[in-house]
Amino acid sequence: MAAPTTSQAGLEKVRNIGISAHIDSGKTTLTERILFYTKKIHKIEEVKGKSGVGATMDFMDLEREKGITIQSAATYAVWKDIQINIIDTPGHVDFTVEVERSLRVLDGAILVLCSVSGVQSQSITVDRQMKRYKVPRICFVNKMDRAGANPWRGIQQLREKLGHNAHAITMPIGYEDKFAGIIDLVGMRAYYFDGDNGEKIREEDIPSELFDEAKKRRDDLVAAMGDFDDVVAEKYLDGKEVTAQELRPVIRKATLSLKFTPVMMGSAFKNKGVQLLLDAVGYYLPNPMEVLNEAHDQDKAEAKVELISDPAKPFVGLAFKLEDGKYGQLTYMRIYQGKVAKGDVIYNQTTQRKVKIPRLVRMHADEMNDIETAQAGDIVALFGVECSSGDTFTDDTVHYTMTSMHIANAVISLAIAPKEKANAGNFSKALNRFTKEDPTLRVHRDEESAQTIISGMGELHLEIYCERIKREYACEVVVGKPQVAFRETITQKGTYNYTHKKQTGGSGQYGKVVGYIEPLPADAVEQFEFVNDVTGGSIPREYIPGCEKGFLEAVKMGSLIGHQIVGVRAVLVEGSYHDVDSSEQAFKTASIMGFREAYAKAAPVVLEPIMKLEVQAPEEFQGSVMGQVNQRRGVIMNSQTLEQYFVCEAEVPLTEMFGYSTDLRSATQGKGEFTMEFLKYAPVPRNVQETMVKQYQEKRAKENK
């Protein structure tokens, strides 16, 4: 069956949505049900199904084995007359870039919460990403069948922890093992989901014992909507009935304004409430024409231009994700403006190259459906188009570029090498491909040790890539000990007054620099700042860039433990030069040595990455879990108990966290789970710093022998 095109669906009938949440909240299970009810698949598979097949959207072998989503996967479905393009994103913080790049190109989202755990650490991260890209969302409280289910606590946490104006638009009929169906508070009807897979929807009156509660919750919703519409406000104050037809457009307007979050409930695993969620996607989430998308016009000094979802306008598309499939590079593209057809020539505005589109497809997980044309509002994939993640394409009548994504810094590194020299070709092929696909995976060569170093977002992130090199490229790898990305900084002002003099045959080298270095404010965006305060021409203008280059060279490697120096402002006050012997190189060398002189006086310290840790475990293991966190130099920020489970939030140095998953499992009989994400850099304790400096000096002494 050919995939429907946007022109058939009509732009107002298109929804580009993502499904995001904390790990294990049921995103992939929910997507599987959506595909089943929209008749995209004919049989439901579970994430860790007994069949070994695994969910449709988790199509990588590794995803099926581990029962987690690693890559975001795209699909499309039609519900009633609405065409929905869906991206299922990972919940694990190590793959947060997958969520970031998906939200970058989506118009709306479903934020999934677990009815027992509520708002968790990764829910907060995902919510921050949604706010960054101004994505309106519906919240779906999942797992209503679980013991301890309490959606109202989840709504309370949405308000308190995330600052949402959140109100329920549905409520459950029963909780936990008595969860039987859903009440729609907008239409005031009860819905039950019969049949083996909940595909038969039965609509009835609201059970009498729940009517008063439903009425009260609907009144709360109507009162909240009064802030967005005067007619609803008047009717509410006069005690008049507000119909579903009057209420729906107002909920939509409120949701699109990003000032309201409608909350729904259900259980994807038990097949309850998913169809109502699909209705809500059509009712309350935006179509491509209702979202403001901007680009920068390169012909007008990067002036902002609004992109309009109109097929008649010049073509603009963003390549937001690359995948190397069995047929070559697959480029996922969101089309913001204009249209494109198979065989068209498009221009990469980043590389200034033109490319012809040999094949255009719409993706359903790892299956492809060929299409002839695509237009504004579509999410499609192109074959045989060479580019990088984040490149903008146009038809060359306009020279627009879209803003790139926010990419977090890597916090952990591993030395990695192929086990057998014969596999070196495959090894470098794999790394080239993965760094192109994933902007948070960095690869560099350490010149001192001649090792290949890969850096990423966490242990699991790098572990997955090592495993993929082995499976997809038949290349066994040897992995070194994880290295933490330490930094160095200064805590006070330090002055320098350095003269670089070198006399050899012919012209010598001469440059004198005087000035100081000082810490940058804590909220500074840049990690290094150079200030030229030279007056009266004591250093000629042409040598100033040489001084700046010298300082930039000096901050690459600190003298304490040989790591990058951050948070420093270098100020050049004066100096002197020689008519014959001075050169840019001489001033560069003088600046490097001057910086080192000042650095020693500026009370330098070592900084380490501090991670935000959230641990969940049954209440009886509270003591041992807290003890483990304290042993690892962790600072407990908050702990609470919910339904026989306790949750502990802490700030812990990354250095202390290696092997934590094994320790946690053994301390909690395998029942504890944790998530961890980078929070900030902080100075290491003095005794730890002294040990690190001593080890670094011993290592240098050995190398110099």
Side-chain angles (χ1 to χ4, degrees), residues 273-521:
V274 178
Q275 295 96 322
L276 296 185
L277 177 65
L278 282 167
D279 286 340
V281 166
Y283 288 141
Y284 309 126
L285 289 183
N287 65 50
M289 296 182 291
E290 294 172 304
V291 178
L292 173 69
N293 290 303
E294 290 179 328
H296 297 278
D297 191 341
Q298 297 305 313
D299 297 337
K300 293 182 182 167
E302 298 218 342
K304 280 188 177 177
V305 277
E306 189 181 333
L307 298 176
I308 295 155
S309 295
D310 180 352
K313 294 267 179 191
F315 166 73
V316 180
L318 178 75
F320 68 95
K321 176 175 158 63
L322 309 180
E323 227 175 70
D324 201 17
K326 47 192 172 198
Y327 307 110
Q329 182 172 302
L330 189 61
T331 305
Y332 285 83
M333 184 180 283
R334 163 74 199 260
I335 301 171
Y336 285 98
Q337 190 174 279
K339 59 175 187 282
V340 70
K342 186 174 149 184
D344 279 2
V345 172
I346 56 175
Y347 290 78
N348 185 331
Q349 293 299 320
T350 312
T351 62
Q352 301 300 317
R353 285 188 184 154
K354 61 178 181 179
V355 284
K356 190 174 181 182
I357 302 171
R359 190 177 171 198
L360 198 57
V361 296
R362 206 183 284 281
M363 297 301 294
H364 167 47
D366 58 344
E367 287 172 24
M368 292 158 215
N369 297 313
D370 280 275
I371 52 174
E372 292 302 312
T373 61
Q375 62 183 29
D378 275 336
I379 292 177
V380 293
L382 320 177
F383 262 110
V385 173
E386 196 53 43
C387 67
S388 297
S389 189
D391 286 358
T392 306
F393 286 87
T394 71
D395 57 7
D396 213 34
T397 59
V398 290
H399 300 113
Y400 295 167
T401 54
M402 307 280 296
T403 51
S404 54
M405 296 181 306
H406 167 82
I407 302 295
N409 289 327
V411 292
I412 185 168
S413 304
L414 288 176
I416 181 173
K419 203 169 186 179
E420 290 161 18
K421 287 234 169 84
N423 277 335
N426 277 1
F427 177 71
S428 56
K429 252 190 223 166
L431 290 182
N432 277 342
R433 174 192 147 194
F434 294 147
T435 46
K436 240 179 162 183
E437 280 182 16
D438 182 351
T440 56
L441 181 74
R442 319 284 170 41
V443 177
H444 74 275
R445 188 171 168 76
D446 184 355
E447 294 307 329
E448 277 185 34
S449 61
Q451 287 176 311
T452 301
I453 308 288
I454 59 170
S455 310
M457 303 304 293
E459 274 186 288
L460 181 67
H461 188 212
L462 299 183
E463 185 191 309
I464 292 289
Y465 277 112
C466 292
E467 189 65 29
R468 285 184 67 188
I469 293 171
K470 181 175 146 188
R471 291 181 185 211
E472 295 171 35
Y473 287 87
C475 171
E476 290 266 1
V477 291
V478 182
V479 175
K481 213 171 144 239
Q483 300 164 342
V484 173
F486 290 103
R487 296 281 183 266
E488 296 184 26
T489 193
I490 56 172
T491 54
Q492 63 188 49
K493 189 173 171 178
T495 56
Y496 59 87
N497 183 338
Y498 190 85
T499 309
H500 173 60
K501 260 197 287 196
K502 203 171 181 186
Q503 205 59 48
T504 51
S507 63
Q509 285 185 24
Y510 181 87
K512 180 181 179 182
V513 289
V514 180
Y516 60 91
I517 62 173
E518 62 183 0
L520 278 170

Side-chain angles (χ1 to χ4, degrees), residues 609-680:
I610 302 292
M611 310 303 280
K612 182 177 162 194
L613 174 74
E614 186 179 281
V615 192
Q616 279 189 321
E619 215 176 339
E620 69 257 33
F621 302 115
Q622 185 165 355
S624 48
V625 170
M626 296 277 218
Q628 278 187 347
V629 172
N630 288 327
Q631 274 170 1
R632 292 170 184 267
R633 291 200 282 124
V635 178
I636 291 165
M637 308 305 283
N638 188 12
S639 75
Q640 53 181 331
T641 306
L642 305 166
E643 318 288 341
Q644 281 83 56
Y645 252 72
F646 93 98
V647 181
C648 161
E649 290 171 22
E651 293 179 6
V652 195
L654 176 61
T655 358
E656 305 289 340
M657 291 305 290
F658 297 119
Y660 178 63
S661 52
T662 315
D663 289 358
L664 179 67
R665 274 191 211 114
S666 56
T668 59
Q669 297 170 9
K671 293 172 189 164
E673 51 183 55
F674 76 100
T675 56
M676 187 169 74
E677 64 180 304
F678 173 71
L679 180 67
K680 62 182 180 189

Side-chain angles (χ1 to χ4, degrees), residues 196-212:
D196 293 343
N197 296 307
E199 68 275 21
K200 295 182 183 133
I201 305 169
R202 177 161 46 92
E203 184 184 331
E204 290 188 6
D205 290 336
I206 295 172
S208 54
E209 69 276 12
L210 290 174
F211 189 82
D212 289 348

Side-chain angles (χ1 to χ4, degrees), residues 84 119 187 285 519 538 602 617 642:
I84 308 174
V119 171
L285 289 183
S538 59
L642 305 166

Side-chain angles (χ1 to χ4, degrees), residues 10-66:
L11 263 180
E12 63 282 355
K13 300 286 187 192
V14 173
R15 302 287 180 272
N16 291 317
I17 65 164
I19 298 180
S20 307
H22 185 90
I23 192 165
D24 273 350
S25 298
K27 296 175 298 301
T28 303
T29 308
L30 176 62
T31 313
E32 194 75 3
R33 299 310 185 270
I34 289 173
L35 294 178
F36 179 77
Y37 297 131
T38 55
K39 300 189 166 52
K40 283 293 293 181
I41 57 173
H42 304 294
K43 180 172 184 280
I44 292 173
E45 294 288 355
E46 300 309 340
V47 174
K48 290 184 178 173
K50 292 189 174 67
S51 64
V53 176
T56 310
M57 302 302 275
D58 284 352
F59 53 83
M60 275 171 67
D61 290 344
L62 264 171
E63 293 179 312
R64 290 178 173 177
E65 281 170 30
K66 290 184 179 283

